[in-house]
Amino acid sequence: QSLMSAIFTKSLKLNAKSRTQFEQGQIINLIGADTGRLYQFIGFSLDAFWSAPLQIVIAVFMLIRLMGGVPLLVGLSVLLVSVPVTFVNGLFISKVQKAKMKAKDDRVSKVKEAISGIKLVKCMAWEEYFKARISNARSVEVLKLFYGMVCYTVIIVMFLSVPLLIMLGIFGSYVLLGNTLTAVIAFPAISILN
């Protein structure tokens, strides 16, 4: 909340020249959406920077002791194949997110323009013109939202299917190497992988 308050306070202190550089829609989005994403990054992602490598090293060590190195290499190869797909989708999400925010800024600016000049709009009977402008801006924004949801769906499918494929690769290679997969091996391995 303090970051939102600081941005809002700073926006109130902008001089006339600075106000021309930033549209009102950009400032509103900065206060609402962008600060929310910053809080989300700090709250969730920052912790993973130090804990994820440690968790991976411990899990690899435990799986090697439990099942051997070859099944683990098969599981790691499945993971390595999924990394480029996730990376490319992440790049596409970044581009879509920027386009989505630009479309949102455009729509908010057009709505603000119509509202701030509502008397003139009514007097000159320009309602349909402004309605069409705002509707077109909203259509563009909805299309960008759709693209974003498709990208997020691909990411969710990847996050849900890759662990399953890794487990299938590890257990399948373990059995193909002539080992018997028992509950004593399977359940601890599943627990480590999760």
Side-chain angles (χ1 to χ4, degrees), residues 15-143:
N15 60 24
K17 183 180 177 186
S18 297
R19 286 187 192 274
T20 61
Q21 293 176 342
F22 300 103
E23 294 181 15
Q24 194 68 26
Q26 288 176 309
I27 294 172
I28 291 170
N29 282 339
L30 186 63
I31 291 171
D34 295 345
T35 54
R37 275 188 279 152
L38 181 64
Y39 286 134
Q40 188 177 21
F41 171 76
I42 290 171
F44 301 113
S45 301
L46 201 59
D47 190 38
F49 282 128
W50 69 269
S51 66
L54 181 63
Q55 290 175 4
I56 290 170
V57 167
I58 292 170
V60 165
F61 175 75
M62 292 173 73
L63 283 172
I64 288 174
R65 290 202 53 193
L66 184 64
M67 301 181 80
V70 174
L72 181 64
L73 288 175
V74 172
L76 287 176
S77 65
V78 171
L79 180 65
L80 290 177
V81 166
S82 70
V83 168
V85 175
T86 305
F87 180 74
V88 168
N89 195 28
L91 291 176
F92 193 69
I93 283 176
S94 176
K95 288 179 182 177
V96 168
Q97 184 69 23
K98 288 177 185 174
K100 189 169 65 170
M101 293 308 289
K102 185 175 185 239
K104 186 175 182 181
D105 289 344
D106 184 46
R107 179 189 52 85
V108 169
S109 294
K110 287 179 179 168
V111 169
K112 184 185 177 304
E113 179 186 354
I115 290 174
S116 66
I118 194 71
K119 288 182 182 178
L120 184 62
V121 169
K122 286 293 193 181
C123 287
M124 301 299 277
W126 288 342
E127 293 96 346
E128 290 303 316
Y129 171 74
F130 277 94
K131 180 181 174 184
R133 284 184 68 201
I134 293 169
S135 294
N136 288 340
R138 181 65 181 154
S139 297
V140 170
E141 183 183 8
V142 167
L143 184 65

Side-chain angles (χ1 to χ4, degrees), residues 130-168:
F130 277 94
K131 180 181 174 184
R133 284 184 68 201
I134 293 169
S135 294
N136 288 340
R138 181 65 181 154
S139 297
V140 170
E141 183 183 8
V142 167
L143 184 65
K144 301 301 180 192
L145 287 169
F146 174 74
Y147 290 155
M149 293 312 296
V150 168
C151 292
Y152 286 122
T153 302
V154 169
I155 286 286
I156 289 170
V157 167
M158 289 291 294
F159 282 147
L160 293 177
S161 64
V162 167
L164 178 65
L165 293 173
I166 290 171
M167 282 190 233
L168 286 174

